[in-house]
Amino acid sequence: MKKRFLFLYLGILFPFSLLANDNIINEVDSLIELINRQRNNVEIQSSAETAYLALNKSIEADYSKGKSASYLALAKTLFYLGNYSKSLEYLSLTESEPYSSKNPKTLFEICRIRGQIYSYLKLDDESIKEFLNCISLTKNFTSKEDRDYGLSLSYENLSIVYLNLDMTDSVNYYLNKNKELLMSMDESSIYLSLVNLYTSIGEWHSNNCEYDLANQNFTQALSIADKYQYPYLSRTFMYMGDMQTRKSNSDSAFYYYHKALNNLEKTKIKGEFGLVYNKLSILHESSGNIDSARIYKEQKDLIETELSAEREKSFSEVLKIFVNEEKKAHDKQKRKTAIIISISAFFLITVGVIIWITTYSRLSKRKDKLKVELNE
């Protein structure tokens, strides 16, 4: 009787537990969609809070897809906040999830964010390698739209790395490839990339003292951002300030650098603060405002010290990744060698068996022939 009651109890309880698990999974999927919207709106703090909530629920339900997406969201958020070591840790956790290994888009994002972090850490060769790997991964995307968007993001990041390296031909090459792709896509789904593209092209023309063309592209970037209410504009304003500095229009340069700073106060993208503080310090110094120059230099030094400490912490995490990659490559080579040895051994054994069979057959025929001759 007790056994029957137990089976009845389990029969009722089990479907309810499955239903509860399904509800958690649906809730996590909704949270992941919310994270994506928050990130597109550069709501970094809210995105982090939602990602932690999604991660806890995913762990509760043992939902690999949810854990993968939550780890990845946290990695992106921590990168924007300048916490590179933690971001790399979360990328490694994303990579270790079973769902990630089967999802080329997730693997693409891991490489893309890792490439951006390496660029901030001045590991330019490793950064380029990650972005080239991104290009390879887009071949596994099922839809043409996803492939094109993935290629666009890869070209965009490569153009930025080469800009930092002052390799102008490579910058121009990837800017043109990116523009060609984006012009064939629906604006409403790629407006973030368009803002970045026109900003980069504007900076390219500004560097070449082609100020009218630079201004046209900066204006286009701001227009698209305004149309879609895209809040990340600090990079655009900073480059516009640089253009005014090159033209010796210090008042206009101050105006745009302060707009960049105000935008960063909203988005909290830590890696850009130091750049703007440094530009303001130099501009104040050249304008004779020594006290203001000192204040901005101190602010720049303070944030650079924080980021330098973070970079040092990050290198140990980078080293772990490099060692892991070497181990993977070594294991792959070992497997390859083992397969070659196995095939070679099989081939030699097969050849040996064939030779033995052939030799045995010939000897048997000779014996039979001798027997016949003796009998005669």
Side-chain angles (χ1 to χ4, degrees), residues 108-153:
F108 173 91
E109 283 297 287
I110 291 168
C111 284
R112 188 174 72 89
I113 301 304
R114 197 172 276 161
Q116 290 178 338
I117 293 171
Y118 289 164
S119 179
Y120 270 84
L121 297 175
K122 311 298 182 190
L123 299 169
D124 296 308
D125 289 343
E126 296 301 326
S127 177
I128 290 167
K129 197 183 295 181
E130 291 293 331
F131 294 135
L132 291 176
N133 194 25
C134 283
I135 291 174
S136 298
L137 285 166
T138 59
K139 295 172 186 173
N140 301 321
F141 292 0
T142 51
S143 78
K144 184 180 183 303
E145 186 180 357
D146 286 341
R147 279 196 301 276
D148 287 349
Y149 188 56
L151 284 170
S152 168
L153 290 173

Side-chain angles (χ1 to χ4, degrees), residues 2-131:
K2 285 181 181 178
K3 284 184 180 178
R4 285 181 186 174
F5 177 76
L6 179 62
F7 284 130
L8 180 63
Y9 176 74
L10 290 172
I12 294 168
L13 183 64
F14 188 63
F16 275 109
S17 66
L18 285 176
L19 183 62
N21 217 42
D22 286 344
N23 287 339
I24 293 171
I25 287 170
N26 290 334
E27 189 179 351
V28 169
D29 288 341
S30 298
L31 288 170
I32 290 165
E33 287 178 15
L34 177 59
I35 291 166
N36 292 332
R37 289 197 300 273
Q38 289 169 332
R39 191 168 55 248
N40 286 345
N41 293 326
V42 202
E43 298 170 13
I44 294 177
Q45 192 62 43
S46 300
S47 168
E49 290 168 3
T50 309
Y52 275 118
L53 180 60
L55 178 59
N56 289 332
K57 289 183 177 294
S58 297
I59 292 169
E60 182 186 342
D62 194 23
Y63 181 34
S64 183
K65 179 183 175 182
K67 285 189 278 185
S68 171
S70 303
Y71 286 139
L72 185 59
L74 286 166
K76 290 178 180 180
T77 301
L78 289 162
F79 164 60
Y80 295 141
L81 294 172
N83 195 335
Y84 306 135
S85 57
K86 274 291 178 187
S87 179
L88 287 167
E89 279 184 39
Y90 277 111
L91 286 176
S92 296
L93 287 168
T94 309
E95 206 168 21
S96 66
E97 275 302 313
Y99 172 83
S100 302
S101 61
K102 302 170 189 173
N103 191 292
K105 287 185 185 177
T106 301
L107 295 174
F108 173 91
E109 283 297 287
I110 291 168
C111 284
R112 188 174 72 89
I113 301 304
R114 197 172 276 161
Q116 290 178 338
I117 293 171
Y118 289 164
S119 179
Y120 270 84
L121 297 175
K122 311 298 182 190
L123 299 169
D124 296 308
D125 289 343
E126 296 301 326
S127 177
I128 290 167
K129 197 183 295 181
E130 291 293 331
F131 294 135

